[in-house]
Amino acid sequence: MRGVYTIWLRETLRFVRNKSRLVGSMGMPLFFLLFMGTGIGSVIGDSAGGGYTQFMAPGVLGMMLLFGSVFSGLNVVFDKQFGFMKEMLVAPISREAIVLGKALGGATAAMLQAVILLALVYAFGVLEFNVVSLALLIPVMFLISVGFVCVGVAFASKLDDPHGFQLIMNFLIMPLFFLSTAFFPLDNLPPWLKTLSLLDPLTYGVDAMRSILVGQAAFPLWVDVAVLAGFSTLAVLVGARLFKDMKL
Amino acid sequence: MMGSTIVEIRSLTKRFGKLTAVDAMNLDIQEGEIFGLLGPNGAGKTTTISMLSTTLAPTSGKALVARHDVVREQDAVRGAIGIVFQGQSLDTELTAYENLDFHARLYAVGDKETRIKEMLELVGLHKNRDTLVKNFSGGMKRRLEIARGLLHKPKVLFLDEPTLGLDPQTRRHIWEYVKRINREDGVTILLTTHYMEEADYLCGGVAIIDYGRIISLDEPQKLKSRLGETVLDFHVSDADAFCGLLKKNKCKTKKSAVGGRVQVVSSDGEELLPKLVSLAERNGVQVKGVSMHSSTLEDVFMQLTGRTIRDEAGNEKETLRQRFRAMEAKR
Ligand SMILES: Nc1ncnc2c1ncn2[C@@H]1O[C@H](COP(=O)(O)OP(=O)(O)OP(=O)(O)O)[C@@H](O)[C@H]1O
Ligand SMILES: [Mg+2]
């Protein structure tokens, strides 16, 4: 426990200190919302009551969580490269505690980013929500980010080169993002695309957030949450396993 | 419990594929001593330390640190040791204080504020407490790493090339801290180095290792006296001929040749020197230069392996590492 907290504390401290990363990470989601949302919305018209931008907002939130989470695996690669990993590995704490601390730290960072984005979206009047929806949203965001942080950690345990990590992660992230129903509903997709979307854990994350924020959903909320919980648990286990086998 | 064995190494072996980095090593280190592992680049020093500090699994053999098995009782071993790694291992985005605070939390150090203050004062960094480590010089980083290694009062402290790439003055300072913590807190210290003078100055016992094997084990004084009091370094026109002459004249000498250089070891160097010079001249070997000095661990290494410790193939690696350190220092 002590170990988990200490690792979390460092991750969070580093994140809070790194203002440029925080500001920079806001750029892409906002551009997506503003340009893509308005642009595509103007083509397809008012499809879903609140407009396309509103439909897209939970998807962009999902994108923020996905990117923020997976790239916190980069910290593991840097820790290896700059030697700090050794300091953690010789400490009298378990490997599991390190992974858990990293997962929670990465999730905290990703969720902070998402909450700021949410506040901006709210300020622009794209979405309206209340305390209840926020209370539902936080655990969903937590499951999404813990899961994807561990995906990042799993890859980071095997990779030593930050550039290589970033390249591989882009390969992974882009399909996850585009398949996640962030931009289009699941209903009318051709079967092959629908199957792929159903295999993407982020689909359930976006669906859950959409059902909480916009009131539209492909699945009942509990299904989304159950799938997300399963995914996160699996990701933590796999991440911890690969981290344990890591070679310095 | 002075005098009891605190590090016990038995047939410890590590292979990387075909390469045997540590080869059936046996070694005992007594509580309270400063022990040196001395060897050239690639000798297996870091690999040994990694196994002792539980970050690398041995291929075979076993080792006990503070009476705990490094494979089966990793947590107990980790709690009992402190380590200063060969490479950098600080979080450069954090301040000196934050690095120590992180460590104190990981090791559940009691009264951590007092302890952190003490350690920063020991290594003279209390004024830089809140500076980001990325703004530290190489020497300051090293001192901080030593402070960190000691923070949780380990029973055994591993120092892997603690003064590599540092200027002579900083090196002196670090030697003083090392002596002091050993004397005042009774911390057992295992240090690796390829600086002969470092081992000579600090260590009560020295193991010289080469290709993963201990080739000599003794107190620095005894190693040196076994060799002889004085060393004559000859620079001659024909080393082979000169060696032949030495052999024929049955000088009580040991020799090894590197280029045109021949080293002669003897207990009465002052008398021997003029004799050997005239012997050489008479037989048509030109003596280009001679120097005489009392023997050092460097000479011991030369005698044992036929090579000097510094002009190794590993030098390339060394240069790279120094450059890397310089880069890190700038970062
Ligand atoms: N992870 C590894 N995989 C393969 N070979 C390795 C690995 N680590 C070390 N070696 C090899 O094992 C040998 C011993 O390396 P080690 O780092 O222990 O030497 P050292 O005595 O610490 O040298 P130096 O003075 O350069 O630090 C070297 O030949 C090195 O190339
Ligand atoms: Mg080494």
Side-chain angles (χ1 to χ4, degrees):
Chain A
M1 234 18 246
R2 175 184 88 232
V4 177
Y5 172 70
T6 308
I7 305 281
W8 172 85
L9 193 65
R10 164 171 177 261
E11 294 285 316
T12 308
L13 191 61
R14 280 173 64 106
F15 175 74
V16 172
R17 193 159 287 172
N18 197 343
K19 299 277 186 319
S20 57
R21 183 179 147 193
L22 188 62
V23 173
S25 66
M26 291 296 144
M28 217 178 4
L30 283 179
F31 294 148
F32 263 98
L33 260 185
L34 195 63
F35 304 145
M36 287 270 285
T38 316
I40 296 182
S42 76
V43 179
I44 62 174
D46 240 17
S47 66
Y52 184 68
T53 309
Q54 198 180 70
F55 173 83
M56 224 181 91
V60 170
L61 215 52
M63 164 188 178
M64 177 101 251
L65 290 169
L66 172 69
F67 284 37
S69 303
V70 168
F71 277 109
S72 67
L74 199 55
N75 288 342
V76 174
V77 182
F78 278 130
D79 283 349
K80 279 200 271 185
Q81 196 173 43
F82 296 131
F84 196 75
M85 187 60 79
K86 290 180 288 189
E87 155 81 350
M88 290 187 268
L89 292 184
V90 292
I93 57 169
S94 68
R95 302 292 188 254
E96 286 82 1
I98 300 178
V99 174
L100 229 49
K102 289 259 172 206
L104 295 181
T108 305
M111 286 167 68
L112 267 175
Q113 290 172 317
V115 166
I116 293 173
L117 183 68
L118 201 61
L120 290 175
V121 167
Y122 183 77
F124 292 150
V126 177
L127 286 175
E128 283 182 12
F129 50 85
N130 53 30
V131 185
V132 179
S133 41
L134 206 59
L136 284 170
L137 202 60
I138 298 288
V140 169
M141 297 202 302
F142 179 76
L143 288 178
I144 300 174
S145 38
V146 166
F148 284 111
V149 173
C150 287
V151 170
V153 169
F155 278 88
S157 303
K158 293 284 154 198
L159 298 168
D160 291 332
D161 170 34
H163 302 296
F165 178 82
Q166 270 162 316
L167 280 174
I168 290 179
M169 287 302 112
N170 278 331
F171 255 102
L172 188 78
I173 280 178
M174 285 306 164
L176 283 175
F177 171 43
F178 287 119
L179 287 171
S180 71
T181 71
F183 295 130
F184 39 76
L186 202 58
D187 308 336
N188 302 321
L189 296 179
W192 66 271
L193 193 57
K194 188 167 178 175
T195 311
L196 286 179
S197 281
L198 286 175
L199 287 173
D200 179 355
L202 190 59
T203 299
Y204 304 89
V206 170
D207 195 58
M209 292 195 289
R210 191 171 282 144
S211 105
I212 293 167
L213 290 170
V214 192
Q216 295 173 331
F219 309 105
L221 188 56
W222 71 267
V223 173
D224 290 327
V225 171
V227 174
L228 286 175
F231 161 67
S232 297
T233 312
L234 188 69
V236 171
L237 292 177
V238 172
R241 174 81 239 170
L242 292 182
F243 186 83
K244 262 188 136 163
D245 295 343
M246 180 173 59
K247 299 264 181 308
L248 272 187
Chain B
M1 285 244 292
M2 284 293 266
S4 68
T5 306
I6 194 158
V7 176
E8 201 178 322
I9 302 175
R10 291 289 173 272
S11 315
L12 193 66
T13 302
K14 181 70 196 181
R15 288 194 200 91
F16 296 109
K18 278 189 178 162
L19 182 113
T20 305
V22 175
D23 194 358
M25 186 183 286
N26 290 302
L27 184 64
D28 281 337
I29 296 168
Q30 305 307 317
E31 191 157 3
E33 83 176 311
I34 304 183
F35 192 90
L37 280 181
L38 188 72
N41 290 130
K45 305 181 294 293
T46 299
T47 306
T48 305
I49 298 263
S50 300
M51 288 190 284
L52 294 179
S53 60
T54 75
T55 53
L56 190 68
T59 308
S60 63
K62 74 167 194 171
L64 302 181
V65 174
R67 284 167 277 279
H68 299 293
D69 188 294
V70 299
V71 176
R72 283 183 287 113
E73 301 166 276
Q74 297 200 339
D75 283 342
V77 172
R78 288 190 197 136
I81 62 171
I83 179 162
V84 173
F85 300 97
Q86 180 167 349
Q88 237 254 108
S89 64
L90 295 164
D91 187 338
T92 52
E93 300 294 319
L94 300 183
T95 64
Y97 171 82
E98 286 162 349
N99 268 283
L100 296 184
D101 179 67
F102 179 82
H103 189 87
R105 288 170 187 275
L106 282 185
Y107 287 78
V109 172
D111 196 5
K112 81 182 160 69
E113 300 307 320
T114 320
R115 187 69 185 154
I116 289 175
K117 194 158 166 276
E118 258 174 45
M119 286 300 107
L120 283 174
E121 274 164 11
L122 170 74
V123 298
L125 287 175
H126 45 289
K127 292 206 182 86
N128 309 89
R129 179 181 183 273
D130 296 318
T131 309
L132 290 179
V133 172
K134 65 180 164 195
N135 299 324
F136 274 19
S137 71
M140 288 163 82
K141 286 183 188 161
R142 212 61 184 149
R143 277 145 61 198
L144 183 60
E145 283 172 327
I146 290 177
R148 187 178 67 179
L150 284 168
L151 194 66
H152 57 286
K153 302 191 176 164
K155 289 206 181 81
V156 184
L157 180 66
F158 298 111
L159 299 171
D160 198 356
E161 308 210 18
T163 64
L164 183 72
L166 300 181
D167 63 60
Q169 201 190 346
T170 312
R171 176 173 301 162
R172 278 270 155 199
H173 278 302
I174 288 183
W175 288 358
E176 293 317 319
Y177 309 140
V178 170
K179 282 216 151 171
R180 202 167 128 196
I181 57 185
N182 172 258
R183 194 177 53 231
E184 289 176 7
D185 303 334
V187 183
T188 308
I189 295 170
L190 174 58
L191 74 88
T192 79
T193 181
H194 55 230
Y195 295 121
M196 291 289 184
E197 66 272 30
E198 185 160 288
D200 202 359
Y201 182 75
L202 286 176
C203 299
V206 181
I208 297 184
I209 69 174
D210 199 22
Y211 298 113
R213 234 170 292 162
I214 294 180
I215 53 176
S216 177
L217 174 74
D218 217 331
E219 292 162 27
Q221 289 314 318
K222 291 207 178 128
L223 280 175
K224 285 193 289 184
S225 64
R226 212 198 291 168
L227 181 74
E229 303 286 287
T230 45
V231 176
L232 305 174
D233 271 313
F234 282 88
H235 188 192
V236 292
S237 58
D238 186 345
D240 286 336
F242 189 52
C243 284
L245 286 174
L246 292 171
K247 226 175 235 161
K248 252 186 261 165
N249 282 269
K250 287 184 184 128
C251 293
K252 271 193 182 171
T253 57
K254 301 174 187 168
K255 62 221 156 281
S256 59
V258 177
R261 293 186 190 268
V262 177
Q263 213 181 51
V264 181
V265 187
S266 130
S267 47
D268 52 353
E270 275 161 41
E271 286 170 33
L272 196 60
L273 177 59
K275 282 188 200 156
L276 291 185
V277 171
S278 68
L279 175 73
E281 306 279 80
R282 264 185 279 126
N283 291 278
V285 175
Q286 193 195 339
V287 178
K288 292 176 181 167
V290 194
S291 71
M292 186 172 81
H293 60 98
S294 48
S295 65
T296 64
L297 279 172
E298 180 104 39
D299 304 311
V300 179
F301 187 83
M302 171 88 161
Q303 291 297 313
L304 288 168
T305 66
R307 310 191 305 279
T308 62
I309 204 160
R310 265 172 268 240
D311 60 26
E312 283 292 304
N315 253 346
E316 202 177 333
K317 193 169 144 198
E318 165 78 349
T319 322
L320 270 176
R321 197 164 47 214
Q322 302 236 6
R323 209 176 297 152
F324 185 60
R325 269 192 182 270
M327 260 165 50
E328 279 186 330
K330 268 186 220 139
R331 220 170 8 102

